[in-house]
Amino acid sequence: MSLYGVMRTSTSGMSAQSNRLATVAENVANVNTDGYKRSSCRFSSLLVDSSCGCSYNSGAVETNVRTGVGAQGSLISSDSITDLAVSGDGFFVVADDMGTPYLTRAGAFVADGEGELVNAAGFRLLGYPLNGTDPNVTVNGYAGLVPVSLAELALTATPSTSGLFTANLPSQSAALAAAQLPSGNAATASYTAKSSLVVYGNLGETRTLDLYYAKTADNSWELAVYDRADLPATGTFPYGAGPIATTTLSFAASNGQLAPASPTSITIPVPDGAALTLDLSEMSQLATGYMVLGAQVNGNAAASADIVEIARDGTVYAAYDNGDRRAVYRLPLASVASPDNLDQQTGNVFVTTSESGPVRLGFAQEGGRGDIVSGALEQSTVDLATELTDMIDAQRGYTANSKVFQTGAELMDVLVNLKR
């Protein structure tokens, strides 16, 4: 065996143990880093061809550092709603100041000076804005994601655009004469039933709509909608202006439900607001009194958000001081086929590689991505007892390899001195 080979092999061993000790140092340093994943060294032999049989050529050892990205850390509770943890296999999607997306499990988010949620490393949390519809998710990319900002929730107003009204109209009521119909807006106008709805204009101002139901014939009802602002001081017809919307509902005599040819909604142009589509599809005409079974309208008045709630499915809710509660963002979770092969970057973030597979975006509680837990943080997966044991083992391995190198060097001196 070559003495040079002895020293080369022992040097390789010392280098390998140095790498192992370096991972131990990094793990110990990040024992309290939120979402940190423990790294470890794995060794493999590197042999030199000795097929000639005349002498043995010692090989070396290769070091492969692996990070257990897929390991689940323990969750600890926190008193901040915006502290987030993933209970499962998913990753939060964050971005740096340049807008480059990354994956992370570090969820200690707080609002910065601009109201955007950033974690301890300065990465901004990304989510899909909700505008009353489900977000369009790009499964294999980050299109559509924006920084989650609480500043935009400070003061907002949303006009009413859709609603639902469900009631039973009494079938035994007498039909009204034409001169009595509310749509005529005459002093003689009457009605069978009346309800009022509060809706919101473009600037968040509240408007009250009066809904008048009048039976016009068997199984036929007129609905006339008025703006309460036009109601005179007397509180009776006629209003200062005619109805802003009217329709006629037809019911089937066999079951009291809306007939197939009947309208199932009415579009109401809200004054100083948007067009409101009111769903009437569940209206009925049965032999009982007038009874409102459901009434709801979207939109909200101008109000500030005083609470932010983040559900386990990643939906971010803003609760306003006027009592309204609205979904404003939904946080995606990313997954990859082989998380342990993700490339770790500064700031406890990861990027995909050819070995990890491409990113796949989805939502919490779907596809095995786990839950998003608000008011909790994922602890580091580092165990100090294990690291100290590895440190001692690496120290002994390094010392043993250094003794081999020292012995080889001494033998080399003997060989050199033979000539003398």
Side-chain angles (χ1 to χ4, degrees), residues 271-329:
D272 300 322
L276 167 65
T277 300
L278 193 63
D279 185 355
L280 305 171
S281 59
E282 300 299 320
M283 295 288 293
S284 63
Q285 178 198 246
L286 301 174
T288 186
Y290 177 67
M291 185 183 306
V292 177
L293 303 176
Q296 61 186 44
V297 176
N298 71 345
N300 64 270
S304 59
D306 55 0
I307 297 176
V308 173
E309 177 187 350
I310 303 176
R312 296 183 76 89
D313 66 353
T315 304
V316 180
Y317 293 94
Y320 294 88
D321 53 16
N322 63 356
D324 291 331
R325 184 172 177 271
R326 185 160 59 97
V328 290
Y329 292 99

Side-chain angles (χ1 to χ4, degrees), residues 130-132 150-161 199-207 272-274 297-305 318-322 324-328:
L130 299 180
N131 300 309
L150 304 186
E152 297 179 1
L153 311 181
L155 193 65
T156 184
T158 306
S160 299
T161 57
V199 298
Y200 303 98
N202 293 325
L203 302 180
E205 64 270 43
T206 58
R207 310 286 299 214
D272 300 322
V297 176
N298 71 345
N300 64 270
S304 59
Y320 294 88
D321 53 16
N322 63 356
D324 291 331
R325 184 172 177 271
R326 185 160 59 97
V328 290

Side-chain angles (χ1 to χ4, degrees), residues 49-379:
D49 186 15
S50 301
S51 58
C52 66
C54 55
S55 65
Y56 175 74
N57 294 319
S58 61
V61 59
E62 275 191 321
T63 307
N64 186 13
V65 177
R66 303 297 297 270
T67 302
V69 182
Q72 174 74 55
S74 301
L75 303 189
I76 57 172
S77 60
S78 165
D79 57 1
S80 174
I81 294 175
T82 57
D83 281 344
L84 303 176
V86 177
S87 178
D89 297 333
F91 296 85
F92 296 114
V93 182
V94 295
D96 60 13
D97 292 337
M98 302 300 293
T100 304
Y102 296 92
L103 309 182
T104 190
R105 300 273 290 197
F109 295 102
V110 295
D112 64 4
E114 298 179 354
E116 296 178 347
L117 292 183
V118 298
N119 64 11
F123 290 91
R124 297 175 294 170
L125 179 63
L126 301 184
Y128 293 102
L130 299 180
N131 300 309
T133 59
D134 292 333
N136 294 321
V137 179
T138 303
V139 177
N140 62 343
Y142 304 100
L145 290 173
V146 299
V148 175
S149 174
L150 304 186
E152 297 179 1
L153 311 181
L155 193 65
T156 184
T158 306
S160 299
T161 57
S162 64
L164 170 70
F165 191 86
T166 303
N168 179 73
L169 301 175
S171 62
Q172 68 273 22
S173 297
L176 300 179
Q180 296 176 294
L181 295 180
S183 59
N185 195 28
T188 57
S190 183
Y191 54 89
T192 308
K194 175 191 175 184
S195 291
S196 298
L197 286 176
V198 173
V199 298
Y200 303 98
N202 293 325
L203 302 180
E205 64 270 43
T206 58
R207 310 286 299 214
T208 302
L209 303 181
D210 293 332
L211 281 63
Y212 291 96
Y213 292 94
K215 189 174 183 180
T216 58
D218 289 343
N219 306 316
S220 180
W221 292 76
E222 176 192 87
L223 168 59
V225 182
Y226 282 85
D227 181 6
R228 173 69 67 83
D230 296 330
L231 184 67
T234 59
T236 59
F237 282 100
Y239 278 67
I244 57 178
T246 60
T247 191
T248 300
L249 303 178
S250 301
F251 294 90
S254 58
N255 57 13
Q257 305 303 310
L258 286 176
S262 173
T264 57
S265 65
I266 183 173
T267 300
I268 306 169
V270 177
D272 300 322
L276 167 65
T277 300
L278 193 63
D279 185 355
L280 305 171
S281 59
E282 300 299 320
M283 295 288 293
S284 63
Q285 178 198 246
L286 301 174
T288 186
Y290 177 67
M291 185 183 306
V292 177
L293 303 176
Q296 61 186 44
V297 176
N298 71 345
N300 64 270
S304 59
D306 55 0
I307 297 176
V308 173
E309 177 187 350
I310 303 176
R312 296 183 76 89
D313 66 353
T315 304
V316 180
Y317 293 94
Y320 294 88
D321 53 16
N322 63 356
D324 291 331
R325 184 172 177 271
R326 185 160 59 97
V328 290
Y329 292 99
R330 190 164 185 193
L331 305 179
L333 287 182
S335 64
V336 294
S338 179
D340 288 354
N341 283 311
L342 287 168
D343 185 20
Q344 189 171 11
Q345 303 285 311
T346 300
N348 203 11
V349 295
F350 305 93
V351 294
T352 58
T353 65
S354 58
E355 290 80 12
S356 70
V359 68
R360 296 173 295 190
L361 286 190
F363 293 117
Q365 302 180 334
E366 298 176 359
R369 293 180 178 86
D371 295 348
I372 293 178
V373 183
S374 175
L377 292 171
E378 182 180 5
Q379 290 184 298

